Amino acid sequence: MIFEMDYRQLQELENRIRQLPNHAERVINETLHTGGIELLESNVTRLIPKSNRNKNAPWYREHGSVKHAKDANWSVSKKEHLGFMLKSRGGAANKRGSFGYLVFPDEGRGQVEQSFTERATGVAVPKIVAKLHGKLIETIGGNM
């Protein structure tokens, strides 16, 4: 997935990182791994489409999840150095408890392309960058 950032925001972030040569990496990782993951997950969850299917029907109880992804813990996050990955829990869509089907509307398979993760990322990234700025400024102020 590709997202865009304002170049001025990136320059401001770079200047703040330079002011914390020995601490910026830790602050960035902590911010991304807590607030960043939560922000992106909540923005994606808000945009996940909810079908009209009755998930309490016997077939669903036998073959799949009885919860809609929007109402369940649908994601798994992986913390990476200066980043993170957020993906659907469970892998293949035919596995019980899996929300792997969430990728299909984004790619336009089976339904009209909805791009809910792309739209959610577009909303979450500026908020995550603002959190990074705030934490870096807070840390700079605390060290001086």
Side-chain angles (χ1 to χ4, degrees):
M1 174 178 310
I2 297 173
F3 64 89
E4 295 180 12
M5 271 184 67
D6 182 6
Y7 183 68
R8 287 175 300 214
Q9 281 185 319
L10 195 56
Q11 283 182 317
E12 289 175 26
L13 194 57
E14 184 180 1
N15 289 334
R16 291 199 172 94
I17 290 170
R18 282 192 184 126
Q19 293 176 359
L20 290 168
N22 298 324
H23 303 288
E25 188 175 335
R26 177 188 53 79
V27 171
I28 292 169
N29 276 325
E30 286 174 0
T31 305
L32 291 176
H33 296 166
T34 56
I37 292 172
E38 290 171 12
L39 244 166
L40 183 58
E41 183 180 33
S42 67
N43 276 285
V44 172
T45 302
R46 184 175 49 83
L47 295 175
I48 290 175
K50 190 171 181 179
S51 71
N52 294 328
R53 293 180 181 166
N54 179 4
K55 293 281 192 152
N56 290 319
W59 187 89
Y60 282 103
R61 291 198 175 279
E62 293 173 20
H63 294 95
S65 175
V66 293
K67 285 188 175 182
H68 289 278
K70 191 170 192 123
D71 302 327
N73 183 12
W74 63 269
S75 69
V76 173
S77 61
K78 179 181 175 189
K79 297 174 183 176
E80 296 181 353
H81 182 65
L82 300 176
F84 62 87
M85 184 185 314
L86 186 70
K87 62 183 184 175
S88 300
R89 180 175 51 84
N94 63 352
K95 301 250 194 266
R96 184 169 183 84
S98 168
F99 296 104
Y101 66 87
L102 289 177
V103 73
F104 301 146
D106 243 18
E107 293 180 354
R109 294 188 203 169
Q111 295 184 15
V112 176
E113 184 174 352
Q114 297 177 32
S115 303
F116 57 88
T117 53
E118 187 175 331
R119 290 185 294 143
T121 302
V123 170
V125 167
K127 292 177 182 178
I128 293 170
V129 170
K131 274 187 180 261
L132 285 171
H133 281 291
K135 285 293 185 180
L136 289 169
I137 290 169
E138 182 182 309
T139 306
I140 290 167
N143 285 342
M144 297 187 156

mmCIF file of all heavy atoms in Angstrom, residues 102-133:
data_model
loop_
_atom_site.group_PDB
_atom_site.id
_atom_site.type_symbol
_atom_site.label_atom_id
_atom_site.label_comp_id
_atom_site.label_asym_id
_atom_site.label_seq_id
_atom_site.Cartn_x
_atom_site.Cartn_y
_atom_site.Cartn_z
ATOM 1 N N LEU A 102 -10.969 -10.023 4.380
ATOM 2 C CA LEU A 102 -10.967 -8.569 4.376
ATOM 3 C C LEU A 102 -10.140 -7.985 3.239
ATOM 4 O O LEU A 102 -10.366 -6.854 2.830
ATOM 5 C CB LEU A 102 -10.448 -8.031 5.709
ATOM 6 C CG LEU A 102 -11.373 -8.216 6.890
ATOM 7 C CD1 LEU A 102 -10.712 -7.721 8.161
ATOM 8 C CD2 LEU A 102 -12.689 -7.516 6.664
ATOM 9 N N VAL A 103 -9.197 -8.734 2.723
ATOM 10 C CA VAL A 103 -8.376 -8.218 1.629
ATOM 11 C C VAL A 103 -9.163 -8.147 0.324
ATOM 12 O O VAL A 103 -8.889 -7.327 -0.531
ATOM 13 C CB VAL A 103 -7.093 -9.064 1.462
ATOM 14 C CG1 VAL A 103 -7.400 -10.409 0.853
ATOM 15 C CG2 VAL A 103 -6.076 -8.350 0.595
ATOM 16 N N PHE A 104 -10.162 -8.990 0.164
ATOM 17 C CA PHE A 104 -10.852 -9.074 -1.123
ATOM 18 C C PHE A 104 -11.587 -7.792 -1.515
ATOM 19 O O PHE A 104 -11.438 -7.342 -2.638
ATOM 20 C CB PHE A 104 -11.793 -10.274 -1.163
ATOM 21 C CG PHE A 104 -11.087 -11.580 -0.935
ATOM 22 C CD1 PHE A 104 -11.704 -12.610 -0.270
ATOM 23 C CD2 PHE A 104 -9.795 -11.782 -1.383
ATOM 24 C CE1 PHE A 104 -11.060 -13.823 -0.059
ATOM 25 C CE2 PHE A 104 -9.131 -12.974 -1.177
ATOM 26 C CZ PHE A 104 -9.769 -14.001 -0.519
ATOM 27 N N PRO A 105 -12.383 -7.162 -0.631
ATOM 28 C CA PRO A 105 -13.022 -5.915 -1.043
ATOM 29 C C PRO A 105 -12.002 -4.835 -1.396
ATOM 30 O O PRO A 105 -12.231 -4.019 -2.260
ATOM 31 C CB PRO A 105 -13.853 -5.497 0.169
ATOM 32 C CG PRO A 105 -14.060 -6.751 0.933
ATOM 33 C CD PRO A 105 -12.840 -7.588 0.685
ATOM 34 N N ASP A 106 -10.851 -4.842 -0.700
ATOM 35 C CA ASP A 106 -9.821 -3.857 -1.000
ATOM 36 C C ASP A 106 -9.269 -4.051 -2.408
ATOM 37 O O ASP A 106 -8.910 -3.100 -3.076
ATOM 38 C CB ASP A 106 -8.684 -3.968 0.017
ATOM 39 C CG ASP A 106 -8.552 -2.698 0.834
ATOM 40 O OD1 ASP A 106 -9.497 -1.903 0.857
ATOM 41 O OD2 ASP A 106 -7.492 -2.510 1.424
ATOM 42 N N GLU A 107 -9.182 -5.291 -2.853
ATOM 43 C CA GLU A 107 -8.651 -5.583 -4.180
ATOM 44 C C GLU A 107 -9.746 -5.609 -5.235
ATOM 45 O O GLU A 107 -9.468 -5.772 -6.410
ATOM 46 C CB GLU A 107 -7.933 -6.933 -4.166
ATOM 47 C CG GLU A 107 -6.680 -6.920 -3.327
ATOM 48 C CD GLU A 107 -5.977 -8.259 -3.330
ATOM 49 O OE1 GLU A 107 -6.522 -9.236 -3.902
ATOM 50 O OE2 GLU A 107 -4.882 -8.346 -2.785
ATOM 51 N N GLY A 108 -10.997 -5.511 -4.831
ATOM 52 C CA GLY A 108 -12.101 -5.526 -5.775
ATOM 53 C C GLY A 108 -12.538 -6.914 -6.184
ATOM 54 O O GLY A 108 -13.272 -7.091 -7.134
ATOM 55 N N ARG A 109 -12.092 -7.950 -5.481
ATOM 56 C CA ARG A 109 -12.500 -9.318 -5.805
ATOM 57 C C ARG A 109 -13.870 -9.604 -5.225
ATOM 58 O O ARG A 109 -14.085 -9.428 -4.029
ATOM 59 C CB ARG A 109 -11.520 -10.326 -5.208
ATOM 60 C CG ARG A 109 -10.161 -10.272 -5.792
ATOM 61 C CD ARG A 109 -9.388 -11.444 -5.253
ATOM 62 N NE ARG A 109 -7.971 -11.179 -5.322
ATOM 63 C CZ ARG A 109 -7.065 -11.918 -4.742
ATOM 64 N NH1 ARG A 109 -7.428 -12.961 -4.018
ATOM 65 N NH2 ARG A 109 -5.804 -11.642 -4.852
ATOM 66 N N GLY A 110 -14.778 -10.037 -6.051
ATOM 67 C CA GLY A 110 -16.089 -10.463 -5.572
ATOM 68 C C GLY A 110 -17.054 -9.320 -5.310
ATOM 69 O O GLY A 110 -18.235 -9.509 -5.307
ATOM 70 N N GLN A 111 -16.554 -8.152 -5.065
ATOM 71 C CA GLN A 111 -17.402 -6.992 -4.803
ATOM 72 C C GLN A 111 -16.790 -5.787 -5.513
ATOM 73 O O GLN A 111 -15.735 -5.865 -6.110
ATOM 74 C CB GLN A 111 -17.436 -6.675 -3.306
ATOM 75 C CG GLN A 111 -18.066 -7.745 -2.472
ATOM 76 C CD GLN A 111 -18.133 -7.300 -1.015
ATOM 77 O OE1 GLN A 111 -17.974 -6.147 -0.690
ATOM 78 N NE2 GLN A 111 -18.372 -8.248 -0.139
ATOM 79 N N VAL A 112 -17.451 -4.681 -5.389
ATOM 80 C CA VAL A 112 -16.894 -3.438 -5.901
ATOM 81 C C VAL A 112 -15.710 -3.055 -5.016
ATOM 82 O O VAL A 112 -15.762 -3.190 -3.793
ATOM 83 C CB VAL A 112 -17.962 -2.326 -5.860
ATOM 84 C CG1 VAL A 112 -17.383 -1.001 -6.304
ATOM 85 C CG2 VAL A 112 -19.158 -2.720 -6.706
ATOM 86 N N GLU A 113 -14.639 -2.581 -5.626
ATOM 87 C CA GLU A 113 -13.466 -2.181 -4.856
ATOM 88 C C GLU A 113 -13.842 -1.092 -3.858
ATOM 89 O O GLU A 113 -14.475 -0.105 -4.219
ATOM 90 C CB GLU A 113 -12.373 -1.666 -5.794
ATOM 91 C CG GLU A 113 -11.100 -1.336 -5.079
ATOM 92 C CD GLU A 113 -9.985 -0.968 -6.037
ATOM 93 O OE1 GLU A 113 -10.147 -1.114 -7.250
ATOM 94 O OE2 GLU A 113 -8.946 -0.538 -5.537
ATOM 95 N N GLN A 114 -13.465 -1.289 -2.597
ATOM 96 C CA GLN A 114 -13.857 -0.354 -1.545
ATOM 97 C C GLN A 114 -12.673 0.410 -0.962
ATOM 98 O O GLN A 114 -12.846 1.457 -0.372
ATOM 99 C CB GLN A 114 -14.600 -1.094 -0.439
ATOM 100 C CG GLN A 114 -15.883 -1.703 -0.948
ATOM 101 C CD GLN A 114 -16.593 -2.496 0.109
ATOM 102 O OE1 GLN A 114 -16.522 -2.182 1.288
ATOM 103 N NE2 GLN A 114 -17.289 -3.525 -0.307
ATOM 104 N N SER A 115 -11.487 -0.145 -1.055
ATOM 105 C CA SER A 115 -10.256 0.523 -0.592
ATOM 106 C C SER A 115 -10.354 1.038 0.842
ATOM 107 O O SER A 115 -9.869 2.111 1.149
ATOM 108 C CB SER A 115 -9.882 1.667 -1.532
ATOM 109 O OG SER A 115 -9.729 1.206 -2.842
ATOM 110 N N PHE A 116 -10.993 0.281 1.737
ATOM 111 C CA PHE A 116 -11.158 0.782 3.097
ATOM 112 C C PHE A 116 -9.830 0.891 3.843
ATOM 113 O O PHE A 116 -9.652 1.807 4.635
ATOM 114 C CB PHE A 116 -12.203 -0.003 3.900
ATOM 115 C CG PHE A 116 -11.971 -1.472 4.012
ATOM 116 C CD1 PHE A 116 -11.208 -1.985 5.027
ATOM 117 C CD2 PHE A 116 -12.544 -2.347 3.103
ATOM 118 C CE1 PHE A 116 -11.002 -3.345 5.151
ATOM 119 C CE2 PHE A 116 -12.347 -3.696 3.215
ATOM 120 C CZ PHE A 116 -11.566 -4.206 4.237
ATOM 121 N N THR A 117 -8.879 -0.003 3.608
ATOM 122 C CA THR A 117 -7.596 0.135 4.310
ATOM 123 C C THR A 117 -6.808 1.314 3.766
ATOM 124 O O THR A 117 -6.146 2.019 4.521
ATOM 125 C CB THR A 117 -6.754 -1.155 4.226
ATOM 126 O OG1 THR A 117 -6.625 -1.547 2.871
ATOM 127 C CG2 THR A 117 -7.364 -2.268 5.016
ATOM 128 N N GLU A 118 -6.882 1.538 2.471
ATOM 129 C CA GLU A 118 -6.179 2.679 1.884
ATOM 130 C C GLU A 118 -6.764 3.995 2.409
ATOM 131 O O GLU A 118 -6.034 4.910 2.770
ATOM 132 C CB GLU A 118 -6.287 2.619 0.371
ATOM 133 C CG GLU A 118 -5.459 3.661 -0.340
ATOM 134 C CD GLU A 118 -5.512 3.488 -1.842
ATOM 135 O OE1 GLU A 118 -5.680 2.354 -2.332
ATOM 136 O OE2 GLU A 118 -5.390 4.510 -2.530
ATOM 137 N N ARG A 119 -8.086 4.084 2.466
ATOM 138 C CA ARG A 119 -8.733 5.292 2.986
ATOM 139 C C ARG A 119 -8.407 5.482 4.465
ATOM 140 O O ARG A 119 -8.143 6.603 4.912
ATOM 141 C CB ARG A 119 -10.242 5.228 2.779
ATOM 142 C CG ARG A 119 -10.642 5.359 1.317
ATOM 143 C CD ARG A 119 -12.143 5.409 1.135
ATOM 144 N NE ARG A 119 -12.747 4.125 1.513
ATOM 145 C CZ ARG A 119 -13.907 4.002 2.128
ATOM 146 N NH1 ARG A 119 -14.605 5.051 2.462
ATOM 147 N NH2 ARG A 119 -14.382 2.804 2.422
ATOM 148 N N ALA A 120 -8.412 4.407 5.229
ATOM 149 C CA ALA A 120 -8.112 4.495 6.662
ATOM 150 C C ALA A 120 -6.671 4.924 6.892
ATOM 151 O O ALA A 120 -6.387 5.714 7.791
ATOM 152 C CB ALA A 120 -8.379 3.159 7.346
ATOM 153 N N THR A 121 -5.759 4.412 6.069
ATOM 154 C CA THR A 121 -4.351 4.791 6.190
ATOM 155 C C THR A 121 -4.179 6.266 5.873
ATOM 156 O O THR A 121 -3.429 6.968 6.553
ATOM 157 C CB THR A 121 -3.477 3.941 5.245
ATOM 158 O OG1 THR A 121 -3.670 2.565 5.575
ATOM 159 C CG2 THR A 121 -2.016 4.276 5.394
ATOM 160 N N GLY A 122 -4.894 6.747 4.872
ATOM 161 C CA GLY A 122 -4.829 8.166 4.525
ATOM 162 C C GLY A 122 -5.255 9.072 5.663
ATOM 163 O O GLY A 122 -4.732 10.173 5.836
ATOM 164 N N VAL A 123 -6.193 8.610 6.473
ATOM 165 C CA VAL A 123 -6.657 9.379 7.629
ATOM 166 C C VAL A 123 -5.696 9.197 8.813
ATOM 167 O O VAL A 123 -5.397 10.144 9.537
ATOM 168 C CB VAL A 123 -8.086 8.941 8.037
ATOM 169 C CG1 VAL A 123 -8.507 9.544 9.363
ATOM 170 C CG2 VAL A 123 -9.072 9.307 6.937
ATOM 171 N N ALA A 124 -5.197 7.987 9.012
ATOM 172 C CA ALA A 124 -4.385 7.682 10.200
ATOM 173 C C ALA A 124 -2.966 8.223 10.118
ATOM 174 O O ALA A 124 -2.412 8.653 11.131
ATOM 175 C CB ALA A 124 -4.342 6.170 10.428
ATOM 176 N N VAL A 125 -2.352 8.217 8.937
ATOM 177 C CA VAL A 125 -0.943 8.622 8.823
ATOM 178 C C VAL A 125 -0.706 10.044 9.328
ATOM 179 O O VAL A 125 0.215 10.265 10.125
ATOM 180 C CB VAL A 125 -0.410 8.410 7.387
ATOM 181 C CG1 VAL A 125 0.919 9.115 7.177
ATOM 182 C CG2 VAL A 125 -0.253 6.925 7.118
ATOM 183 N N PRO A 126 -1.492 11.047 8.921
ATOM 184 C CA PRO A 126 -1.249 12.388 9.475
ATOM 185 C C PRO A 126 -1.388 12.440 10.998
ATOM 186 O O PRO A 126 -0.645 13.163 11.667
ATOM 187 C CB PRO A 126 -2.311 13.261 8.798
ATOM 188 C CG PRO A 126 -2.695 12.530 7.573
ATOM 189 C CD PRO A 126 -2.532 11.074 7.899
ATOM 190 N N LYS A 127 -2.302 11.661 11.546
ATOM 191 C CA LYS A 127 -2.481 11.628 13.004
ATOM 192 C C LYS A 127 -1.274 10.963 13.675
ATOM 193 O O LYS A 127 -0.850 11.388 14.743
ATOM 194 C CB LYS A 127 -3.760 10.891 13.368
ATOM 195 C CG LYS A 127 -5.013 11.631 12.953
ATOM 196 C CD LYS A 127 -6.258 10.831 13.279
ATOM 197 C CE LYS A 127 -7.517 11.557 12.827
ATOM 198 N NZ LYS A 127 -8.730 10.787 13.095
ATOM 199 N N ILE A 128 -0.754 9.916 13.056
ATOM 200 C CA ILE A 128 0.429 9.237 13.596
ATOM 201 C C ILE A 128 1.632 10.173 13.547
ATOM 202 O O ILE A 128 2.403 10.261 14.508
ATOM 203 C CB ILE A 128 0.702 7.920 12.845
ATOM 204 C CG1 ILE A 128 -0.421 6.912 13.127
ATOM 205 C CG2 ILE A 128 2.062 7.337 13.225
ATOM 206 C CD1 ILE A 128 -0.389 5.672 12.251
ATOM 207 N N VAL A 129 1.792 10.891 12.440
ATOM 208 C CA VAL A 129 2.894 11.851 12.311
ATOM 209 C C VAL A 129 2.754 12.944 13.383
ATOM 210 O O VAL A 129 3.742 13.337 14.005
ATOM 211 C CB VAL A 129 2.942 12.453 10.886
ATOM 212 C CG1 VAL A 129 3.923 13.618 10.811
ATOM 213 C CG2 VAL A 129 3.325 11.381 9.884
ATOM 214 N N ALA A 130 1.539 13.406 13.620
ATOM 215 C CA ALA A 130 1.318 14.417 14.660
ATOM 216 C C ALA A 130 1.699 13.862 16.034
ATOM 217 O O ALA A 130 2.298 14.576 16.850
ATOM 218 C CB ALA A 130 -0.143 14.871 14.649
ATOM 219 N N LYS A 131 1.363 12.591 16.289
ATOM 220 C CA LYS A 131 1.758 11.955 17.559
ATOM 221 C C LYS A 131 3.283 11.894 17.676
ATOM 222 O O LYS A 131 3.838 12.137 18.743
ATOM 223 C CB LYS A 131 1.199 10.533 17.659
ATOM 224 C CG LYS A 131 -0.178 10.440 18.203
ATOM 225 C CD LYS A 131 -0.542 8.969 18.402
ATOM 226 C CE LYS A 131 -1.907 8.821 18.955
ATOM 227 N NZ LYS A 131 -1.947 8.593 20.379
ATOM 228 N N LEU A 132 3.947 11.545 16.569
ATOM 229 C CA LEU A 132 5.407 11.498 16.573
ATOM 230 C C LEU A 132 5.989 12.873 16.894
ATOM 231 O O LEU A 132 6.902 12.991 17.717
ATOM 232 C CB LEU A 132 5.942 11.002 15.228
ATOM 233 C CG LEU A 132 5.801 9.521 14.953
ATOM 234 C CD1 LEU A 132 6.174 9.216 13.504
ATOM 235 C CD2 LEU A 132 6.672 8.706 15.902
ATOM 236 N N HIS A 133 5.470 13.911 16.242
ATOM 237 C CA HIS A 133 5.925 15.276 16.527
ATOM 238 C C HIS A 133 5.752 15.597 18.000
ATOM 239 O O HIS A 133 6.670 16.103 18.647
ATOM 240 C CB HIS A 133 5.135 16.299 15.690
ATOM 241 C CG HIS A 133 5.588 16.425 14.281
ATOM 242 N ND1 HIS A 133 6.797 16.967 13.918
ATOM 243 C CD2 HIS A 133 4.976 16.077 13.129
ATOM 244 C CE1 HIS A 133 6.908 16.960 12.604
ATOM 245 N NE2 HIS A 133 5.819 16.412 12.092
#
